[in-house]
Amino acid sequence: MENVSIASEKPKLNFWEIWNMSFGFLGIQFGFALQNANVSRIFETLGAEKDSLPILWLAAPVTGLVVQPIIGYYSDRTWIPKWGRRRPFFAIGAVLATIALFVMPNSPSLWIAAGMLWIMDGSINVSMEPFRAFVGDVLPNDQRTKGFAMQAFFIGIGAVIASILPYALTNWLGVSNTAAEGQIPDSVKWSFYIGGVAFFSAVMWTVFNSKEYPPADIEKLKLENSERGVFTGLAESFMGIFTMPKTMVQLAFVQFFSWFALFAMWIYTTPAVTEHIYGTTDTKSLIYNEGANWVGIMFGVYNGVAALFAFLLPQLAKYFGRKGTHLIALFCGAAGLISIFFIKEPNLLVLSMIGVGIAWASILSVPYAMLSSALPSDKMGYYMGVFNFFIVIPQIVAASILGFILKNFFNNDAIYALIIGGISMLAAGLLSLAVHDHDKEKKVN
């Protein structure tokens, strides 16, 4: 493998080689799923009001906005003979994220929990961002949809297990699900500890069981690195938004509305379900914590559906094209989010999450497959990092306006945030039709 450069035509990898290079996402999604399903619960337990939740959640997208393009830029410009290009960043992020996952549920106050979210999300991003470029580096173009689908599979599996952990620990192992006022239940604490171990183990599996191609000209890379200072690199990272290829610009709009919807769901599903369906806002009550645990089950369902649906995506793309496949998936997600408003029986929420899971599988793979076909190989990590602006910018917008909208127009009723999210996902689906897919005329494997 070392005799082939990143710029050369790459040989196809077999199933297990793609499996190994994607396995780290199992751990990464452990971290994100625990964050998504439990951080609002932790914040509310420590005294946060519903209208302040979006502001507290700003930590996640702002951290991504800063970290992801920088990591993408510098991972493009890294080559360590024994470690490669992306894998050093996988390993560093795994160590930092594992520590953060152990500390987060032990936060003694709201401001410390908010600060830990910054650290945890930043650390997860250090590992995650280079994984997207890794597929473009290692796989030939006609295997990239398969590579991103494999990532989506592991994202789904990791998120299923992580999302149901508090419920499983409580109902299967008898771990306490309630605690004194201002204290995090043991079921949540132990979920984060397990997640930390899973994160580190899975990422390091990929680090030690995958290889990378060297740059086309290592000496040229060294010379360019010596001529660029740190500030030049930072400036180039953030100026990349003004030099995006046309396909990337078109996909940016799709990503904006997709991730606005997802962020609305992650912030507000717990308060929406506990109030709208379980009828309580008392975070100390047994019924609130039952509802919060059921949100973990819901998130586990949509991630499980995503893991299974990911394997259908390459086949659907053959018949409907990547744009058509993405449109269908996003419409399913929109229907799932909006349907929660009309449901009163908790078990029926599983049906809503099936639609969300179909959308999630496509969001995690199809845009990246289309984008990778339009990017130069020597700037894959850089542009993937810039592309992530359109994951974090909509989250910042959502965090900035959703609390205000709910407070001033919907009497602080969190269920309406999910309806807004569903409408946003409909818009994303329609915008996907405008994307120019460079590989649309080719067979998608």
Side-chain angles (χ1 to χ4, degrees):
M1 192 170 196
E2 289 77 2
N3 293 325
V4 180
S5 79
I6 192 173
S8 303
E9 184 63 31
K10 307 172 188 75
K12 290 188 177 183
L13 301 189
N14 64 39
F15 176 86
W16 292 111
E17 288 171 323
I18 297 175
W19 173 284
N20 286 337
M21 65 179 285
S22 305
F23 190 76
F25 250 116
L26 177 76
I28 289 172
Q29 198 57 32
F30 249 90
F32 273 128
L34 287 169
Q35 174 180 299
N36 294 339
N38 295 284
V39 165
S40 287
R41 177 181 187 177
I42 291 171
F43 285 163
E44 286 194 301
T45 299
L46 295 174
E49 300 294 334
K50 279 201 293 290
D51 60 350
S52 68
L53 285 176
I55 301 301
L56 292 167
W57 268 88
L58 266 176
V62 169
T63 303
L65 183 67
V66 174
V67 170
Q68 290 185 2
I70 294 173
I71 295 300
Y73 177 87
Y74 283 106
S75 69
D76 277 342
R77 314 204 69 77
T78 296
W79 181 256
I80 301 173
K82 294 292 186 182
W83 287 83
R85 177 183 294 257
R86 315 295 178 186
R87 290 177 295 152
F89 296 90
F90 300 166
I92 292 168
V95 172
L96 296 176
T98 299
I99 294 170
L101 284 163
F102 273 81
V103 175
M104 178 70 180
N106 293 293
S107 301
S109 63
L110 182 59
W111 72 269
I112 291 178
M116 283 309 306
L117 179 58
W118 285 81
I119 296 170
M120 182 169 66
D121 198 81
S123 302
I124 295 172
N125 274 302
V126 171
S127 278
M128 184 197 72
E129 198 287 326
F131 261 96
R132 298 298 188 188
F134 197 38
V135 170
D137 289 347
V138 175
L139 292 179
N141 190 50
D142 62 356
Q143 281 195 308
R144 288 178 186 171
T145 300
K146 186 177 293 183
F148 287 117
M150 183 70 81
Q151 287 188 352
F153 168 74
F154 280 119
I155 287 170
I157 294 298
V160 168
I161 300 170
S163 296
I164 70 173
L165 271 176
Y167 179 91
L169 290 172
T170 298
N171 291 277
W172 302 344
L173 299 178
V175 178
S176 175
N177 192 45
T178 58
E181 184 173 0
Q183 299 294 314
I184 310 301
D186 285 346
S187 59
V188 176
K189 288 184 177 181
W190 278 101
S191 296
F192 275 72
Y193 301 156
I194 294 168
V197 174
F199 192 113
F200 183 81
S201 301
V203 171
M204 297 311 291
W205 177 272
T206 289
V207 169
F208 290 118
N209 289 281
S210 298
K211 294 182 180 180
E212 299 185 65
Y213 300 124
D217 190 335
I218 294 177
E219 293 306 316
K220 180 182 177 182
L221 178 66
K222 291 178 180 178
L223 178 62
E224 289 177 349
N225 286 343
S226 67
E227 293 174 348
R228 283 178 165 88
V230 173
F231 293 106
T232 301
L234 294 178
E236 288 188 17
S237 295
F238 289 97
M239 291 303 289
I241 197 170
F242 300 108
T243 60
M244 297 187 298
K246 181 179 179 180
T247 297
M248 188 170 170
V249 174
Q250 295 164 339
L251 284 167
F253 287 98
V254 179
Q255 290 291 85
F256 180 93
F257 287 100
S258 299
W259 285 88
F260 184 98
L262 291 169
F263 205 58
M265 179 184 72
W266 292 332
I267 295 174
Y268 281 108
T269 299
T270 295
V273 168
T274 53
E275 183 175 2
H276 186 71
I277 296 174
Y278 284 80
T280 183
T281 58
D282 181 5
T283 61
K284 302 185 299 297
S285 67
L286 180 62
I287 193 169
Y288 173 91
N289 284 287
E290 286 179 356
N293 275 3
W294 191 248
V295 170
I297 296 296
M298 291 168 59
F299 282 19
V301 168
Y302 90 71
N303 281 289
V305 169
L308 297 175
F309 192 75
F311 287 111
L312 295 178
L313 286 171
Q315 302 305 315
L316 290 173
K318 290 180 181 178
Y319 295 102
F320 298 107
R322 294 193 286 209
K323 294 190 298 185
T325 299
H326 202 45
L327 169 71
I328 294 167
L330 290 175
F331 273 32
C332 289
L337 286 176
I338 294 170
S339 69
I340 295 174
F341 178 83
F342 301 99
I343 291 175
K344 296 298 181 183
E345 167 58 44
N347 290 334
L348 294 179
L349 293 170
V350 170
L351 300 178
S352 300
M353 291 296 103
I354 291 173
V356 174
I358 291 170
W360 182 228
S362 191
I363 290 168
L364 290 172
S365 53
V366 173
Y368 294 98
M370 288 192 283
L371 178 63
S372 67
S373 300
L375 297 180
S377 61
D378 61 339
K379 291 188 175 181
M380 190 73 68
Y382 170 59
Y383 277 120
M384 285 290 183
V386 172
F387 190 55
N388 282 325
F389 281 150
F390 303 101
I391 292 176
V392 298
I393 290 173
Q395 294 178 47
I396 293 171
V397 173
S400 301
I401 68 173
L402 282 175
F404 174 84
I405 291 172
L406 292 185
K407 184 175 182 180
N408 289 278
F409 298 100
F410 297 108
N411 197 30
N412 240 1
D413 192 342
I415 190 65
Y416 289 98
L418 303 187
I419 294 177
I420 293 169
I423 295 170
S424 181
M425 202 167 279
L426 284 173
L430 293 173
L431 286 166
S432 67
L433 294 177
V435 177
H436 174 61
D437 185 0
H438 288 255
D439 205 38
K440 67 180 181 180
E441 74 282 0
K442 298 179 182 178
K443 181 182 177 182
V444 180
N445 289 320

